[in-house]
Amino acid sequence: MPLASSSDMGTPMTTAEFLGFTAQADGTHALNMTNQLLGGGSGSLFGGVGLAAGLIALEAATGQAPVYMTCQFASTISPPDELVIHTEVLAKGRTACQGRLTGTSGDRTILALLGATGDRREDLRGIWRTMPEVAPPEACEPLQRTQDSDSFHDHAEVRMARGMFGFAPEDAIGRGTASGDATTLFWTRMPNVSHDAAALALMADYLPSAVGNSLDKRTYCSSLDNTIRFVEPVEPDASSEWLLCESHIEFIAAGFATSQGFIWRRDGTLLASANQSMTAAIPRE
Amino acid sequence: MPLASSSDMGTPMTTAEFLGFTAQADGTHALNMTNQLLGGGSGSLFGGVGLAAGLIALEAATGQAPVYMTCQFASTISPPDELVIHTEVLAKGRTACQGRLTGTSGDRTILALLGATGDRREDLRGIWRTMPEVAPPEACEPLQRTQDSDSFHDHAEVRMARGMFGFAPEDAIGRGTASGDATTLFWTRMPNVSHDAAALALMADYLPSAVGNSLDKRTYCSSLDNTIRFVEPVEPDASSEWLLCESHIEFIAAGFATSQGFIWRRDGTLLASANQSMTAAIPRE
């Protein structure tokens, strides 16, 4: 499905439509990386795409809303590769299902995922995090990244509200400045894409940008995994309103780093928490 | 391997020895649930045992220290079942490996795991959490749980330093009282077991005990997963010194809950972070 079609229609795409991720006759789902627009800037697949695809496939298999999912990046793809997601429901229940998914390209294993979906009665409720105090997105400078090639980043707007966006080149306008600690806050949105559960998974892959902020230096990170946990079923936001990403680096040691964060609606509603482990090194140039 | 043998010898067991988890001729690892001592109190397998077994098996396959691992509990076993862990290395590198593991019992899939190991140069270092102020374990009352049957809990000592241990019966001595927020602190140790990476995985499965504290009521929780991320390779502690568990409940909604926490050495060294999603309900009695 062409990526640019929906803005012509004036209605936002679902994330599945944005990814061109479609059910196949054999029960799998597939997307074609026809160009760099699903890439992370280096030309290979943006990690959040894998997690988003897994969420869509498991929800399709179980008919229940996503509760959590973790995606391990064993390898990657680049244009013109196809990614096929195979879904295996390990435990199927009326109130919860658990699944294992595998992403392949030809005979290569690219992604390995685990996750759960659910439809349960709410006996108990409590949310103990509160949204940090933050300037509104209108008061924050847009991040402008000039890149050699098209990438996923062309679809997502970012505005730093606290700290530095560690993925952006040092001369990028709106990159921000290091906060002096391990916490960043930034607004993000995907215009023309409905902010559904899978869209949050795409955005969650921006949380490790806080590594560069924490060290106040450009850092080369390569994701091992990307994990997201939803507070409750996500009501898709067709207006693509700004979401706040709150990111904390827990530790960087022994060549690896761990980020932990939260995604908030602008009105202060907590939508999800997210964690990621990655390699961390000084770029060799 | 008999569980009680090592204290006779005066040297602590490794966690693999404690679990009786041994390499098989076909490349798998296996343990036999010969009695309730690997159970969680209800008679079925204590979830942390699955994560610990996965860590041991992947480290054996790659020869590298664990970086992170996530274990999904698709089903369970009870005595006299055998658990067999099958390890598949998806990406094998000199500095990092990624694996997928499956736990089976006969023809049933019990556990599905993903994880990574590594041996990398440390270019960069930063640890942004600090250990909370806490009373020493000697000043905290031992948790005494009188249970109908033997369980894993007979091997792990717990002393609450803040809040309530939500897994313990309401009349348990040393259970503590609810903190009024979503955070608990407790000391734990496994006498006669060396505190290695797999032992931390066992202890990490106590972190969701903060659910009961957060709501100040007994809550029925069933784990979906258990995820641990290590700061750096864990130096096994043969003296089984007390470890501090810091647990935060992020949210309870729509019938599910998420816990997030940290495991500290007594001297303030951060060893690991851990996350878990679970079902959460009022016990139906």
Side-chain angles (χ1 to χ4, degrees):
Chain A
M1 179 167 304
L3 291 175
S5 65
S6 103
S7 58
D8 304 338
M9 303 190 303
T11 52
M13 291 178 274
T14 64
T15 299
E17 290 167 346
F18 166 70
L19 299 175
F21 187 58
T22 51
Q24 310 295 298
D26 64 358
T28 65
H29 282 67
L31 63 82
N32 281 284
M33 200 170 167
T34 49
N35 55 37
Q36 304 282 12
L37 288 169
L38 299 183
S42 65
S44 62
L45 190 73
F46 181 64
V49 170
L51 185 64
L55 288 166
I56 295 163
L58 189 60
E59 182 167 356
T62 67
Q64 296 173 350
V67 175
Y68 94 98
M69 185 160 282
T70 183
C71 179
Q72 184 176 74
F73 306 104
S75 186
T76 190
I77 61 170
S78 47
D81 294 343
E82 183 185 46
L83 178 70
V84 179
I85 300 283
H86 310 258
T87 303
E88 181 186 2
V89 178
L90 298 178
K92 192 169 181 70
R94 191 179 49 81
T95 63
C97 293
Q98 291 173 280
R100 173 166 60 183
L101 303 92
T102 307
T104 61
S105 186
D107 58 3
R108 292 191 306 134
T109 298
I110 310 301
L111 309 173
L113 306 97
L114 299 173
T117 59
D119 180 9
R120 289 174 61 81
R121 188 169 81 183
E122 182 172 285
D123 284 350
L124 304 159
R125 189 176 178 90
I127 293 167
W128 285 272
R129 301 280 313 184
T130 51
M131 191 166 85
E133 298 267 339
V134 65
E138 293 76 12
C140 301
E141 188 176 24
L143 173 64
Q144 296 174 45
R145 288 180 280 184
T146 52
Q147 288 168 126
D148 296 340
S149 63
D150 293 342
S151 77
F152 169 78
H153 311 308
D154 298 330
H155 299 290
E157 298 180 10
V158 171
R159 297 187 181 192
M160 294 307 297
R162 182 183 198 279
M164 187 179 92
F165 195 78
F167 293 165
E170 274 151 46
D171 59 357
I173 294 167
R175 180 183 185 237
T177 53
S179 63
D181 59 18
T183 297
T184 65
L185 297 170
F186 55 92
W187 296 100
T188 185
R189 64 186 293 262
M190 296 182 67
N192 305 323
V193 176
S194 182
H195 290 175
D196 52 22
L200 299 188
L202 294 170
M203 295 167 181
D205 209 21
Y206 277 159
L207 294 171
S209 63
V211 168
N213 171 81
S214 302
L215 298 165
D216 195 9
K217 64 176 76 172
R218 248 183 89 215
T219 308
Y220 178 74
C221 296
S222 178
S223 299
L224 294 173
D225 79 306
N226 197 346
T227 301
I228 193 163
R229 300 171 192 272
F230 297 99
V231 178
E232 55 197 319
V234 175
E235 190 69 42
D237 173 18
S239 71
S240 308
E241 180 58 274
W242 291 100
L243 295 164
L244 181 69
C245 290
E246 172 190 354
S247 182
H248 308 280
I249 303 305
E250 294 181 340
F251 42 80
I252 303 174
F256 296 93
T258 295
S259 67
Q260 186 251 335
F262 299 93
I263 302 179
W264 303 89
R265 278 204 208 287
R266 187 170 182 165
D267 67 5
T269 305
L270 181 60
L271 296 176
S273 68
N275 298 78
Q276 183 164 147
S277 291
M278 67 206 94
T279 63
I282 295 171
R284 319 258 185 265
E285 293 176 292
Chain B
M1 181 167 304
L3 292 175
S5 65
S6 103
S7 57
D8 305 336
M9 304 189 302
T11 54
M13 290 178 274
T14 63
T15 300
E17 289 168 347
F18 166 71
L19 298 174
F21 187 59
T22 50
Q24 310 295 299
D26 64 357
T28 64
H29 283 67
L31 62 82
N32 281 284
M33 199 169 167
T34 49
N35 57 37
Q36 304 282 11
L37 289 169
L38 299 184
S42 65
S44 61
L45 191 75
F46 181 65
V49 170
L51 185 63
L55 289 166
I56 295 164
L58 188 59
E59 182 169 355
T62 67
Q64 296 172 349
V67 174
Y68 94 98
M69 185 161 281
T70 182
C71 178
Q72 184 176 75
F73 306 104
S75 185
T76 190
I77 61 169
S78 46
D81 293 343
E82 184 186 44
L83 178 70
V84 179
I85 301 283
H86 309 258
T87 304
E88 182 185 2
V89 178
L90 298 178
K92 193 169 180 70
R94 190 179 49 81
T95 63
C97 293
Q98 290 172 281
R100 173 165 59 183
L101 302 92
T102 307
T104 61
S105 187
D107 58 2
R108 292 192 306 136
T109 298
I110 310 301
L111 310 173
L113 305 98
L114 300 172
T117 59
D119 180 9
R120 289 174 61 82
R121 190 169 79 181
E122 182 173 284
D123 284 350
L124 304 160
R125 188 176 180 91
I127 293 168
W128 285 272
R129 302 281 313 184
T130 52
M131 190 166 86
E133 297 268 340
V134 64
E138 293 76 11
C140 301
E141 188 176 25
L143 173 64
Q144 296 175 45
R145 287 180 281 184
T146 51
Q147 289 169 124
D148 296 339
S149 63
D150 293 340
S151 77
F152 169 78
H153 311 310
D154 299 328
H155 298 290
E157 297 180 10
V158 171
R159 296 186 181 193
M160 294 307 297
R162 183 182 197 279
M164 188 178 91
F165 195 78
F167 293 165
E170 274 151 45
D171 58 358
I173 295 167
R175 180 183 185 236
T177 52
S179 63
D181 59 19
T183 297
T184 65
L185 297 171
F186 54 93
W187 296 101
T188 185
R189 62 186 294 261
M190 295 183 67
N192 306 323
V193 176
S194 183
H195 290 175
D196 52 23
L200 299 188
L202 294 169
M203 296 167 181
D205 209 20
Y206 277 159
L207 293 170
S209 63
V211 168
N213 171 81
S214 302
L215 298 165
D216 195 10
K217 66 175 74 169
R218 247 183 90 216
T219 310
Y220 178 74
C221 297
S222 178
S223 299
L224 293 173
D225 80 307
N226 196 348
T227 301
I228 194 164
R229 300 171 193 271
F230 297 99
V231 178
E232 55 196 320
V234 175
E235 190 68 44
D237 173 17
S239 70
S240 307
E241 179 58 275
W242 290 101
L243 294 165
L244 182 69
C245 290
E246 172 190 354
S247 182
H248 308 281
I249 303 305
E250 294 181 340
F251 41 77
I252 303 174
F256 296 93
T258 295
S259 68
Q260 186 249 337
F262 299 93
I263 302 178
W264 303 90
R265 280 204 206 287
R266 186 170 183 165
D267 67 6
T269 306
L270 181 60
L271 296 175
S273 68
N275 298 78
Q276 183 164 148
S277 291
M278 67 207 93
T279 64
I282 294 172
R284 318 258 185 264
E285 293 175 291

